[in-house]
Amino acid sequence: MQERFKTPKNIANYLARMEKIGGWFSQEMARLFVFIDQVQKLNGIKGNIFEIGVHHGRSAILLSFFLRPELESLSVCDLFGDQTLNVSESGLGNLEIFRNNFLACNPNQKFPVIHSKQSNKLTREETTGDCRIFHIDGGHSAEETYADLKIASTAMNEKGVIILDDYFNPAYPGVSEGFCAFMNEEKGNLAPLIHAFNKLVIIRPSAFDIYSREIDSPDFKNYLLRWPYEMGKGTFFNHDIFLILIPSNRANRTLPYFILRRFIENYPWLKKGIKSLLFRK
Ligand SMILES: C[S@@+](CC[C@H](N)C(=O)[O-])C[C@H]1O[C@@H](n2cnc3c(N)ncnc32)[C@H](O)[C@@H]1O
């Protein structure tokens, strides 16, 4: 059977060595991003890509692989050298390391437009105002999250997505506070679509059917739902939301589990075999 969602070869190659780059962006998150990019391409959704919070470029480099260079651009914002302004102590951006990582991983793509400053100083023009993906992974305080969501909402286009990092992470309650303050003001202009692997995806309600149709499909489950994750559904800010979660009876993993998992990750042939056994059909 033809699979609707696939990781393109150049992206699979990048994912295989992505963890050599410092950062917090996981394989699961990367697959969620690839899925969103593919849904957009299958549905003719075009636009630029923007990221707040680069660190050493793990997620930004993945985003660069999504570009249709003749049509679209990637821009990023980070404090980079000015870490005294990193009030929520979130990551440690470094432009030189990012540049080297980018050139090593995606030398054929143009280097992104860089906005080296506090994200609350970004203007709509700098974001291009026409984004299909806007990834927020910068400062994690309530004020920073609120400001980042505000600029992202003016930057995203009609069918685009905002992806917010760490919404349910108990280490960063400010992200939840900032998001709730923002959503209470938005009153129906935006809707949460899915929470998965520590990322909350937000869309305009008019785009819900496009994405939910794909998330509800068996192809999505084959592509993204691997053990121990399960799909749930809920209501959040008066909208239906998809929830990818680990059921509580599977949540308490012990150290041997993590050691085994890390071991498996290092052997692609073993990983492939186990994956084909565990993926849902
Ligand atoms: C969690 S890291 C980003 C991780 C990255 N997305 C990855 O793939 O690994 C957060 C980044 O946000 C930057 N940052 C923190 N506060 C910021 C602010 N107010 N404005 C812009 N960037 C900020 C930090 O310098 C750091 O590089």
Side-chain angles (χ1 to χ4, degrees):
M1 193 180 71
Q2 178 81 21
E3 288 169 28
R4 192 158 162 81
F5 304 113
K6 273 199 216 93
T7 307
K9 198 154 187 341
N10 59 346
I11 295 183
N13 289 341
Y14 171 64
L15 296 189
R17 56 196 182 125
M18 181 179 82
E19 269 123 3
K20 295 207 170 80
I21 297 174
W24 296 264
F25 193 66
S26 68
Q27 294 287 328
E28 286 95 348
M29 292 173 187
R31 286 169 72 90
L32 174 72
F33 278 44
V34 174
F35 165 77
I36 289 169
D37 177 57
Q38 296 208 352
V39 171
Q40 294 186 337
K41 286 180 175 144
L42 287 166
N43 288 277
I45 298 170
K46 299 187 180 74
N48 300 315
I49 303 182
F50 201 98
E51 177 173 84
I52 295 176
V54 176
H55 189 61
H56 297 170
R58 229 195 238 194
S59 50
I61 295 169
L62 174 67
L63 292 170
S64 74
F65 281 99
F66 298 166
L67 292 175
R68 289 164 281 204
E70 66 292 353
L71 285 178
E72 299 169 337
S73 66
L74 171 65
S75 312
V76 299
C77 170
D78 197 293
L79 297 167
F80 289 123
D82 209 352
Q83 289 295 319
T84 47
L85 295 172
N86 194 341
V87 290
S88 52
E89 296 179 357
S90 159
L92 196 67
N94 183 311
L95 185 53
E96 205 185 325
I97 297 177
F98 172 46
R99 194 185 298 277
N100 289 338
N101 287 335
F102 192 96
L103 292 175
C105 295
N106 199 2
N108 300 327
Q109 188 60 263
K110 221 171 102 195
F111 193 62
V113 179
I114 302 288
H115 300 286
S116 198
K117 59 174 174 178
Q118 260 177 309
S119 55
N120 65 3
K121 303 277 185 314
L122 280 169
T123 63
R124 183 172 183 272
E125 289 64 41
E126 286 170 328
T127 67
T128 77
D130 180 22
C131 292
R132 65 177 169 100
I133 299 178
F134 197 112
H135 181 212
I136 301 178
D137 191 10
H140 280 45
S141 73
E143 295 72 23
E144 289 166 325
T145 304
Y146 175 86
D148 290 353
L149 284 163
K150 274 281 176 204
I151 189 73
S153 65
T154 68
M156 77 192 284
N157 63 28
E158 201 47 42
K159 305 267 186 296
V161 301
I162 299 173
I163 309 174
L164 175 64
D165 187 60
D166 274 334
Y167 177 72
F168 281 122
N169 186 341
Y172 295 107
V175 175
S176 312
E177 185 184 342
F179 174 76
C180 290
F182 168 77
M183 281 304 276
N184 283 330
E185 276 179 19
E186 281 302 311
K187 298 223 177 7
N189 291 334
L190 290 167
L193 169 75
I194 181 168
H195 182 272
F197 320 123
N198 220 21
K199 300 283 180 190
L200 178 65
V201 182
I202 303 150
I203 52 166
R204 298 198 191 286
S206 59
F208 186 80
D209 286 350
I210 299 173
Y211 292 96
S212 65
R213 200 171 46 228
E214 307 285 7
I215 295 172
D216 252 341
S217 71
D219 288 322
F220 172 83
K221 295 186 178 81
N222 285 338
Y223 185 68
L224 257 179
L225 267 195
R226 66 171 95 165
W227 190 89
Y229 292 99
E230 293 261 311
M231 169 81 92
K233 285 185 185 172
T235 305
F236 194 39
F237 283 93
N238 290 326
H239 290 279
D240 293 336
I241 181 169
F242 296 92
L243 302 159
I244 296 192
L245 39 90
I246 302 177
S248 51
N249 61 346
R250 291 182 199 159
N252 297 324
R253 299 281 145 232
T254 55
L255 192 58
Y257 166 84
F258 288 111
I259 294 171
L260 185 64
R261 182 172 166 162
R262 180 55 63 200
F263 174 79
I264 292 166
E265 296 285 342
N266 285 332
Y267 293 93
W269 55 271
L270 182 59
K271 193 171 159 190
K272 208 170 154 200
I274 292 176
K275 232 194 295 181
S276 63
L277 281 175
L278 295 180
F279 262 130
R280 288 156 172 252
K281 287 281 162 229

